[in-house]
Amino acid sequence: MEYESVIGLEIHAELNTESKMFCGCGTHFGEAPNTQTCPVCLGLPGSLPVANAKAIEYVIKSGLAVGCGINLYSIFHRKNYFYPDMPKDYQISQYDQPLCINGFIDLDMNDYQTRIGITRIHLEEDTGKLIHIGGAGRIAGAKYSLVDFNRAGVPLMEIVSEPDIRTPEEAKAYAQKLRAVLITLGVSDCSMEKGSMRVDANISIRPKGSTGLGVKTELKNLNSFRSLQRALAYEIERQAKALNEGKPEEIVQETRHWDEAKGATSTLRTKEYAHDYRYFPDPDLVPMEFDIAYIDFLRSQLPELPNERKQRFIKEYGLPVHEANLLTESKAMGDFFEETAKLYKGDPKAVANWMLGDMSYYLNTEGLEIDETAVTPKHLAELLKLIDKGVISGKIAKEIFPEMFETGKLPQVIVEEKGMTQISDEAEISKIIDMVLEENTSTVEEYRAGKDKAFGFLIGQAMRLTRGRGNPQLINRLLREKLQA
Amino acid sequence: MELYQMTIHELHEKLLNKEVSAKEITDSVFSRIEEVEDKVKSYLTITKDVALEQAKLADEKIAAGGKVGPLAGIPTAIKDVMCTRGVRTTCGSKILDNFIPVYTSTAVQNLFDEGIVMTGKTNMDEFAMGSSTENSGFFPTRNPWDLERVPGGSSGGSAAAVAADEAVFSLGSDTGGSIRQPAALCGIVGMKPTYGLVSRYGLVAFASSLDQIGPFTKDVTDCAIVLNHLVRHDPMDSTSVKIDRPDYKEILINDLKGVRVGVPKELMAEGIDPKVKKVVEDAIKVLADNGAIVAETSLPNLEYGLSAYYIIAPAEASSNLARFDGVRYGYRAPDPDDLMDMYMRTRTEGFGDEVKRRIMLGTYALSAGYYEAYYGKAQKVRTLIVRDFNKAFEDFDVLVSPTSPTVAFKIGEKVANPLQMYLSDICTIPVNLAGLPGISVPCGTVDGLPVGLQIIGKALGEETILRVAYSFEQNFNWSEKPKLETRD
Ligand SMILES: [Zn+2]
């Protein structure tokens, strides 16, 4: 039987405000444990929360950027449950009156387009971080546990999608697009590595064409877009196998932990009892009320968003849809592209090709983001200019690239250091071609007998003798001239 | 007359005239504490070192010719539910027996800034849950008018301390009557300001939407003076109101002419001890005799007030008290097997029965499937009660009632019957539900035990209730004092 999956994502993004959600403590990542704390975020008796206006603004902007409606009256609720990483043993969150509702994100997949609905975006506070000593590093069996409250109270935005996602690829594309939007807005760093963006996925499958819903599982510990895609693919297969083998009981409503190393999900057994969060309006906080003029003002402040940028790239730079899509997948990529195109002044498509070709290859290999490398738009623009000027060939450029990528040396410098400039001297090339013709008389015969392939071989020999530095156009022309002579 | 018997305004006069020093006043109050504390048991922690240090500072300031406010050098007791930096703050609970806050609550800090002398932290019902101070995790406090009786609660220690002259004034907190009821039972003045008027920052929460800090004083003038220094907008408390504070002392005039006084019939109905009712009726007559226009009125939804309160307050408490889990501060059960064992035993051993009862009540009321029927409905009742009050205040400037349906009861009398105990607050609870200001002033005695008159104002109507209370005080001229004895 052919199945279709029904996927919904819950994405948490820490907001990059200067101070925490309900107190004045800093939010800087990586400080010594418990140094960014105060009575409020430690939940000391008698302390009270005061909402961070900037965080509220950030969430509203995020909502507007994904087409959400903004609730002009919104309140905070308390979500009650006991856990040692939560100082008050309740989390200030939102329940039935979130800040933003009913948005969407449009995805350009390779051969089709789709719209993923966003149910809601709400604002809450993050929890602290537990470190379990002894045992397997989990709380069960630990000798003791340490808690760092630096992160407790950092503003956290939860974005809940509709179950509109049908494939792991769409899930990844949706998460990436959302990330690009949030980074463009400047409201979150969205680093999955640092945990400032966290993705949980709900997944069920159903026979293709049916409209019912299967039993869903929730996947956690998806620490990269790759994990997200892989975990979903695994879970789809697992569920399909269970159904195909007539064992639907193997799919139960539960939370499953993704193990990246094993490439498998397994039941997460930390929840020992069913949770009833006993949500109720937080009496310590006053309702958030906005007027339409304020919302309109925030809307007018929105920067160019990824989809708008994509359209502009197509129009302004003449890029194909697919390339434009890839280049606007992250703000950093788009910025890099535009900056390079500006410095280069040549054909923007060449910039796009390099970025989506060699550059993406090295980024993926190293697992780096474009703004985390030594390569700057200046590097790429100069490389392209060297090719255009005939100083180096495209092939040499490809050889230079990894060094440039690793060391951050400008291409000109690498070329000079290694003597890699192109040989464009006609006399020198001519001499080399003569040598090739002398050494390969049989191939020359074959060519003359009409075997076109032989020409390529001879070019290759000439390139070999120049150690790749010969100007390809020049070699081509001189070889043809000599053969026809 | 001893210094410890005097009011704030009397002592301030003497300090300004350099007749006495803050040190002498402080010594006088501590000699009184030494004399009577064993009988009354007002205090959980006595902070003599802090007090002497503060008295010294006040004296230095006065000697230097510096401008000092009316609270400088005045010995003050603080209910042990307000955080005081470096001074143990227990909330009357074993679970916080060893808790020393790292910060001072805004209300107390405001008074520190005015130069008060803190005598100590007073006994209370555990986490302010109770009406007799018998729910203290440590010991009961005794009523200075009859040592076999309760001082009321939950701020019983603060009330008894002022009544027994162990402090010149004190701070309490009032969630359903916890200032007004003990003030009535101890024969002193106690006020709960409008919700949001005094910062709650640093007040350990019982029920956040109801809690409010207020003063216990020996007369209405002192109440106005203290209020002048408690009312200050606090950016640390989202519910703190911003107003142009009037000078509450300046507006105190003895004039009731034309003041419209409403008597809600529901608060003079059955459930009120007939003798108490008689004393209150006489007090109302004093108001009328002095020019007030008195008429009966009705708050029809008041009968649901107690039930709504016992849903809302425990619901909020169940969440507010979750943080006492043994993880970060306070009591932690020794050698727990695992996390759950630590939580369960810490809270089982650390909390008293009434606190557990209310946590369970509140947890239940918020549970899935019950929320609408309980918490949701209670909030609707609350809205109706607010409407009742608003309507009544279209016709009246203030409403009056007994503060407590009975005089002080015997220690142990109601312990076994929580519902009976809850009824002690039927006259005061609706005022908290509506967020209104209320003051209790002594208006006579029944069998030698004091009775309080409750005067309720509209939101931010402190000026009006203070003026009515002051006028009543001036015309009633009550001067009985407790004898710190056991009565038969
Ligand atoms: Zn903080």
Side-chain angles (χ1 to χ4, degrees):
Chain A
M1 172 136 25
E2 208 184 328
Y3 296 103
E4 167 183 73
S5 26
V6 177
I7 301 167
L9 297 186
E10 278 173 25
I11 295 184
H12 284 95
E14 274 185 352
L15 300 177
N16 58 11
T17 49
E18 287 289 313
S19 58
K20 289 188 180 180
M21 187 58 228
F22 297 111
C23 64
C25 290
T27 56
H28 195 254
F29 182 79
E31 300 292 328
N34 295 309
T35 53
Q36 302 197 75
T37 57
C38 73
V40 178
C41 58
L42 288 176
L44 294 185
S47 64
L48 294 171
V50 177
N52 180 336
K54 200 80 194 165
I56 295 168
E57 179 193 312
Y58 279 7
V59 173
I60 294 176
K61 276 186 170 172
S62 304
L64 291 172
V66 293
C68 280
I70 308 301
N71 276 325
L72 297 180
Y73 178 94
S74 179
I75 60 172
F76 287 106
H77 269 70
R78 289 188 187 175
K79 180 180 181 179
N80 294 285
Y81 65 98
F82 282 83
Y83 211 65
D85 64 4
M86 212 165 45
K88 303 182 293 296
D89 286 309
Y90 62 80
Q91 180 190 30
I92 304 177
S93 181
Q94 294 199 272
Y95 185 53
D96 54 0
Q97 285 155 290
L99 283 164
C100 316
I101 49 167
N102 298 335
F104 60 88
I105 278 186
D106 284 334
L107 298 180
D108 252 318
M109 303 307 289
N110 276 339
D111 42 4
Y112 66 99
Q113 296 182 331
T114 185
R115 170 169 288 192
I116 309 300
I118 288 175
T119 316
R120 55 184 279 151
I121 306 180
H122 76 241
L123 183 54
E124 59 189 27
E125 54 179 341
D126 210 344
T127 60
K129 198 173 119 198
L130 285 170
I131 300 158
H132 306 295
I133 309 296
R138 285 191 171 184
I139 193 162
K143 205 166 157 228
Y144 60 93
S145 303
L146 299 169
V147 58
D148 175 8
F149 289 112
N150 281 354
R151 213 182 62 184
V154 169
L156 196 60
M157 170 167 65
E158 182 175 333
I159 303 144
V160 182
S161 87
E162 289 287 307
D164 292 344
I165 301 167
R166 292 288 165 269
T167 67
E169 293 70 33
E170 283 179 18
K172 183 181 168 200
Y174 165 83
Q176 282 179 327
K177 180 74 77 173
L178 189 61
R179 178 174 187 270
V181 170
L182 300 182
I183 290 178
T184 301
L185 291 172
V187 301
S188 173
D189 302 331
C190 287
S191 160
M192 293 185 76
E193 196 180 35
K194 289 182 193 162
S196 62
M197 179 173 176
R198 308 195 274 274
V199 183
D200 297 332
N202 286 296
I203 159 112
S204 64
I205 62 170
R206 65 186 174 197
K208 202 169 176 106
S210 101
T211 52
L213 288 173
V215 177
K216 66 173 181 185
T217 56
E218 188 184 3
L219 306 183
K220 285 194 181 285
N221 196 39
L222 310 174
N223 294 325
S224 66
F225 293 120
R226 187 179 128 90
S227 300
L228 168 67
Q229 195 177 345
R230 284 183 71 205
L232 283 169
Y234 173 87
E235 187 63 14
I236 290 166
E237 209 178 297
R238 187 187 72 88
Q239 293 188 10
K241 188 162 170 268
L243 294 183
N244 286 337
E245 290 173 356
K247 295 177 187 160
E249 69 278 5
E250 287 183 0
I251 311 168
V252 293
Q253 194 162 340
E254 62 179 358
T255 303
R256 296 180 68 86
H257 182 90
W258 167 249
D259 187 325
E260 179 72 28
K262 285 189 190 144
T265 64
S266 61
T267 302
L268 189 69
R269 294 205 184 276
T270 58
K271 283 182 186 166
E272 286 168 7
Y273 49 93
H275 279 304
D276 174 359
Y277 293 120
R278 292 174 283 118
Y279 280 100
F280 76 104
D282 192 329
D284 286 332
L285 289 157
V286 289
M288 294 171 275
E289 292 177 84
F290 315 103
D291 55 33
I292 290 172
Y294 172 71
I295 305 296
D296 285 343
F297 169 74
L298 292 184
R299 200 191 310 271
S300 74
Q301 301 291 104
L302 293 182
E304 182 188 41
L305 295 164
N307 273 352
E308 294 162 7
R309 192 176 217 190
K310 180 181 77 185
Q311 293 309 327
R312 185 166 63 79
F313 278 17
I314 294 168
K315 232 173 99 189
E316 203 175 311
Y317 299 105
L319 297 183
V321 176
H322 182 62
E323 275 78 356
N325 201 31
L326 290 173
L327 286 174
T328 50
E329 215 166 58
S330 86
K331 182 179 184 312
M333 281 288 266
D335 288 349
F336 195 102
F337 169 77
E338 291 210 84
E339 186 70 9
T340 311
K342 205 170 98 194
L343 293 169
Y344 171 48
K345 296 190 183 74
D347 184 2
K349 278 183 212 152
V351 179
N353 288 340
W354 270 90
M355 284 184 64
L356 298 172
D358 290 65
M359 186 127 164
S360 291
Y361 170 79
Y362 288 110
L363 288 174
N364 287 338
T365 314
E366 302 288 320
L368 291 172
E369 295 296 327
I370 199 160
D371 48 3
E372 292 170 340
T373 71
V375 177
T376 66
K378 189 178 176 200
H379 287 88
L380 184 54
E382 294 213 345
L383 189 74
L384 290 168
K385 281 185 193 164
L386 290 176
I387 300 171
D388 287 357
K389 283 186 197 149
V391 178
I392 55 170
S393 63
K395 190 163 171 293
I396 298 274
K398 280 179 185 295
E399 282 174 30
I400 288 173
F401 195 87
E403 187 171 345
M404 191 171 90
F405 187 87
E406 264 163 43
T407 62
K409 282 185 190 164
L410 283 171
Q412 187 76 50
V413 175
I414 301 171
V415 165
E416 275 162 21
E417 275 177 7
K418 303 210 158 163
M420 287 171 112
T421 41
Q422 186 161 265
I423 304 166
S424 299
D425 181 60
E426 204 163 319
E428 202 179 337
I429 297 286
S430 183
K431 232 189 282 167
I432 288 165
I433 290 176
D434 289 343
M435 277 166 70
V436 170
L437 294 178
E438 262 169 52
E439 282 172 19
N440 299 283
T441 45
S442 59
T443 316
V444 172
E445 287 309 310
E446 281 172 23
Y447 175 77
R448 292 205 166 119
K451 210 172 165 192
D452 282 349
K453 252 188 166 176
F455 185 76
F457 176 79
L458 295 171
I459 293 263
Q461 292 304 306
M463 281 305 266
R464 190 176 60 83
L465 288 178
T466 62
R467 278 188 282 154
R469 289 166 56 210
N471 181 325
Q473 286 84 33
L474 195 58
I475 294 177
N476 199 304
R477 181 166 63 82
L478 292 178
L479 182 64
R480 215 169 278 278
E481 281 172 13
K482 283 176 197 279
L483 285 169
Q484 280 161 5
Chain B
M1 197 175 187
E2 299 291 338
L3 290 172
Y4 62 72
Q5 293 174 301
M6 294 181 187
T7 62
I8 299 170
H9 51 98
E10 287 163 351
L11 290 167
H12 181 59
E13 194 79 28
K14 290 192 182 300
L15 279 167
L16 286 192
N17 297 338
K18 306 220 162 72
E19 285 171 50
V20 293
S21 66
K23 169 90 166 59
E24 285 164 330
I25 297 171
T26 304
D27 286 343
S28 169
V29 168
F30 274 100
S31 71
R32 175 67 174 175
I33 290 173
E34 250 161 64
E35 184 191 333
V36 305
E37 175 60 9
D38 278 352
K39 289 193 219 169
V40 185
K41 308 289 273 179
S42 301
Y43 288 96
L44 285 172
T45 304
I46 290 173
T47 53
K48 195 168 180 179
D49 289 352
V50 177
L52 289 172
E53 187 62 32
Q54 287 172 329
K56 193 166 155 246
L57 285 173
D59 281 332
E60 281 168 8
K61 208 165 173 194
I62 293 166
K67 205 169 158 270
V68 294
L71 297 181
I74 304 297
T76 310
I78 308 291
K79 186 179 182 181
D80 208 20
V81 72
M82 285 164 240
C83 288
T84 40
R85 185 180 174 170
V87 174
R88 183 175 88 126
T89 300
T90 68
C91 299
S93 181
K94 289 278 187 207
I95 212 161
L96 289 178
D97 196 0
N98 61 4
F99 178 62
I100 296 175
V102 295
Y103 75 105
T104 298
S105 63
T106 302
V108 174
Q109 188 60 50
N110 285 344
L111 299 188
F112 280 170
D113 293 346
E114 286 300 316
I116 62 152
V117 167
M118 180 171 75
T119 51
K121 307 291 296 283
T122 59
N123 198 17
M124 57 186 282
D125 285 303
E126 186 177 5
F127 287 105
M129 297 176 185
S131 309
S132 69
T133 312
E134 290 164 288
N135 294 335
S136 164
F138 301 95
F139 46 77
T141 293
R142 288 158 189 278
N143 191 316
W145 294 77
D146 178 354
L147 299 174
E148 290 300 307
R149 288 174 189 266
V150 303
S154 66
S155 314
S158 280
V162 173
D165 294 324
E166 291 185 280
V168 177
F169 81 98
S170 64
L171 288 189
S173 66
D174 188 317
T175 306
S178 284
I179 292 174
R180 289 157 292 157
Q181 185 257 17
L185 269 47
C186 290
I188 56 173
V189 175
M191 183 189 210
K192 179 203 100 73
T194 303
Y195 181 78
L197 197 58
V198 179
S199 169
R200 289 185 297 117
Y201 190 78
L203 167 71
V204 181
F206 160 16
S208 315
S209 74
L210 300 160
D211 296 342
Q212 188 59 199
I213 289 173
F216 287 98
T217 55
K218 294 178 181 176
D219 66 12
V220 176
T221 305
D222 277 6
C223 181
I225 292 169
V226 179
L227 198 62
N228 271 344
H229 299 284
L230 283 177
V231 176
R232 211 161 291 180
H233 173 70
D234 183 5
M236 299 292 277
D237 176 356
S238 306
T239 61
S240 166
V241 297
K242 260 186 202 157
I243 56 155
D244 274 332
R245 180 184 57 76
D247 186 327
Y248 295 111
K249 185 173 172 253
E250 286 306 306
I251 52 91
L252 293 179
I253 48 165
N254 179 2
D255 181 7
L256 288 166
K257 273 179 216 78
V259 174
R260 297 168 303 165
V261 176
V263 184
K265 62 176 191 226
E266 292 81 4
L267 293 177
M268 291 293 255
E270 58 174 316
I272 309 296
D273 183 301
K275 289 181 189 165
V276 169
K277 192 176 162 188
K278 174 76 176 52
V279 170
V280 171
E281 280 167 352
D282 290 347
I284 294 171
K285 211 168 286 159
V286 172
L287 297 176
D289 290 348
N290 285 278
I293 304 158
V294 179
E296 189 181 81
T297 182
S298 173
L299 302 166
N301 290 293
L302 227 55
E303 59 173 312
Y304 308 113
L306 194 72
S307 310
Y309 176 86
Y310 276 99
I311 297 294
I312 294 168
E316 293 181 7
S318 71
S319 174
N320 284 331
L321 270 61
R323 70 188 66 192
F324 305 106
D325 58 6
V327 174
R328 283 144 298 125
Y329 44 75
Y331 175 74
R332 177 191 293 172
D335 305 317
D337 294 338
D338 57 18
L339 179 65
M340 197 51 66
D341 185 47
M342 180 179 89
Y343 281 158
M344 306 271 262
R345 273 176 42 223
T346 295
R347 292 167 66 82
T348 301
E349 293 160 22
F351 287 139
D353 286 349
E354 183 61 24
V355 171
K356 286 179 204 162
R357 186 177 294 127
R358 296 204 196 186
I359 289 173
M360 285 190 283
L361 264 174
T363 303
Y364 185 82
L366 290 175
S367 295
Y370 298 100
Y371 181 92
E372 268 315 311
Y374 292 100
Y375 191 77
K377 197 166 233 173
Q379 289 293 5
K380 287 189 188 112
V381 168
R382 191 170 182 178
T383 307
L384 292 177
I385 288 174
V386 170
R387 255 183 239 163
D388 279 0
F389 274 113
N390 286 344
K391 197 156 175 303
F393 281 119
E394 285 172 12
D395 300 325
F396 298 101
D397 300 309
V398 297
L399 303 176
V400 296
S401 77
T403 305
S404 162
T406 65
V407 291
F409 43 91
K410 292 251 182 188
I411 290 173
E413 190 181 324
K414 295 184 180 178
V415 171
N417 189 342
L419 282 181
Q420 198 62 40
M421 188 76 93
Y422 294 173
L423 286 170
S424 305
D425 294 326
I426 46 167
C427 301
T428 46
I429 276 174
V431 180
N432 296 77
L433 286 173
L436 303 175
I439 189 170
S440 180
V441 287
C443 66
T445 54
V446 166
D447 304 329
L449 294 166
V451 173
L453 173 70
Q454 176 175 235
I455 306 164
I456 306 164
K458 49 185 102 168
L460 300 175
E462 276 74 7
E463 290 170 72
T464 312
I465 59 171
L466 280 168
R467 182 178 142 199
V468 172
Y470 179 75
S471 302
F472 175 77
E473 184 184 70
Q474 296 303 307
N475 292 297
F476 184 62
N477 259 319
W478 193 66
S479 59
E480 283 184 56
K481 283 274 172 191
K483 298 194 175 64
L484 274 63
E485 290 169 356
T486 300
R487 302 172 67 95
D488 311 306

